Amino acid sequence: MVGTAEGGAERAVRRWVDAAGGRLVLDGGLATELEANGADLNDPLWSAKCLLSSPHLIRKVHMDYLEAGANIIITASYQIALEAREMFLKEHLEKSTPIQHPILVAAALGSYGAYLADGSEYSGDYGEAGTKEFLKDFHRRRLQVLAEAGPDLIAFETIPNKLEAQAYVELLEECNINIPSWLSFNSKDGVHVVSGDSLIECATIADKCAKVGAVGINCTPPRFIHGLILSIRKVTDKPILIYPNSGERYDGEKKEWVESTGVSDGDFVSYVNEWCKDGAALIGGCCRTTPNTIRAIHRTLNQGCHKHQLPVA
């Protein structure tokens, strides 16, 4: 674990990026991949249901992403992800093919909207709960529990509004969290986060917090990522991470993804070189992406994306 004092979070992320050859590969969608492996997620707990009913499936999905080339697996259960990492490293050691690049576990802390299970993480409309102090009270113990587990990173992801971003950075300071973190927002128009707040203003909040090591975008259609990276780069020199969804649209009322609105793995990966040129340092996938998507990203990065230099802090 690397401390975050005096900008240590950003330095830690940059060291990991350098150790991986210039880019880190994130994993892909968890819930939809669990469903592909037979899990029934028709439950308010969504993918967390598997923590109780079928943790072996979560372990399998983590392993699938590691075998596909992911450097970072994102999880709500550090213990299961740690087991998967140890199994993966042991298997390769026994095969005399030891892994040389970083294998990291990021503990995910989703937005308040994800907890509500009503699709409001895709709107940022929290109604009467939309106050900073309420959000801090809601997230405080969750953050402390994740930090106590000792992950390599803490991933604040699918952040739909500026208010929740501000709550997160204040909690990082107030709780004295000494684990590098990232803040990742979602957008549906390529300019704003889903609430309508300015992405630039949201990224500025992340930039000003020394405990935040990277800033980025997740669960957003691939076609918007280019412009969003450029917007983020206007206000921060921190590493930028992007893990878009497949481009499909989520119906919050029906709680299902609308078929035939996304892009193929080939189309998704065709964006990767552009994202590298734009300055993305951590690249992966979110909802509806699969180990095949991550394998293709890994292959593309190894074929030349690394040659594009990252901005120097």
Side-chain angles (χ1 to χ4, degrees), residues 24-246:
L24 285 168
V25 179
L26 307 178
D27 63 7
L30 176 62
T32 46
E33 195 61 20
L34 286 170
E35 289 178 321
N37 279 274
D40 178 9
L41 303 185
N42 186 19
D43 187 277
L45 290 175
W46 202 26
S47 59
K49 176 184 178 182
C50 289
L51 294 174
L52 302 174
S53 63
S54 45
H56 65 285
L57 289 182
I58 296 179
R59 189 180 303 108
K60 179 184 183 300
V61 172
H62 286 326
M63 288 288 288
D64 288 345
Y65 280 120
L66 291 173
E67 291 291 353
N71 299 112
I72 301 179
I73 48 177
I74 305 170
T75 182
S77 172
Y78 177 67
Q79 188 60 42
I80 295 175
L82 182 61
E83 291 173 6
R85 176 170 66 181
E86 290 177 347
M87 289 172 60
F88 174 74
L89 294 174
K90 181 180 179 182
E91 287 180 6
H92 278 266
L93 190 61
E94 290 174 347
K95 295 176 184 176
S96 298
T97 57
I99 300 299
Q100 304 296 333
H101 54 262
I103 301 293
L104 308 170
V105 176
L109 198 150
S111 67
Y112 175 65
Y115 159 80
L116 293 175
D118 62 359
S120 57
E121 70 266 42
Y122 299 105
S123 70
D125 182 2
Y126 292 165
E128 295 181 0
T131 70
K132 185 175 66 177
E133 291 308 313
F134 175 89
L135 293 173
K136 286 170 66 175
D137 289 342
F138 173 77
H139 286 300
R140 183 174 286 106
R141 184 56 186 155
R142 302 172 73 222
L143 174 58
Q144 290 170 337
V145 168
L146 287 177
E148 288 166 4
D152 301 300
L153 294 138
I154 295 176
F156 297 95
E157 57 181 9
T158 324
I159 306 171
N161 56 46
K162 183 169 66 174
L163 190 69
E164 199 153 23
Q166 188 64 48
Y168 286 149
V169 299
E170 290 185 14
L171 281 177
L172 284 171
E173 297 291 350
E174 292 171 12
C175 298
N176 194 28
I177 301 299
N178 289 314
I179 297 171
S181 67
W182 75 57
L183 264 61
S184 183
F185 302 89
N186 56 337
S187 173
K188 56 187 177 184
D189 65 2
V191 178
H192 307 87
V193 298
V194 293
S195 66
D197 291 338
S198 161
L199 172 64
I200 288 179
E201 292 179 6
C202 291
T204 299
I205 290 171
D207 177 68
K208 290 180 179 178
C209 180
K211 294 179 180 290
V212 174
V215 188
I217 297 291
N218 75 291
C219 212
T220 295
R223 67 183 182 276
F224 293 140
I225 298 300
H226 167 71
L228 294 169
I229 294 174
L230 298 184
S231 293
I232 293 172
R233 285 191 61 184
K234 291 178 180 177
V235 294
T236 187
D237 290 325
K238 294 184 179 184
I240 293 175
L241 71 151
I242 54 104
Y243 48 120
N245 58 33
S246 66

Side-chain angles (χ1 to χ4, degrees), residues 258-282:
V258 178
E259 298 288 346
S260 303
T261 59
V263 298
S264 67
D265 281 347
D267 289 338
F268 185 102
V269 173
S270 70
Y271 289 100
V272 169
N273 279 311
E274 177 183 51
W275 296 337
C276 286
K277 292 176 184 176
D278 294 336
L282 303 87

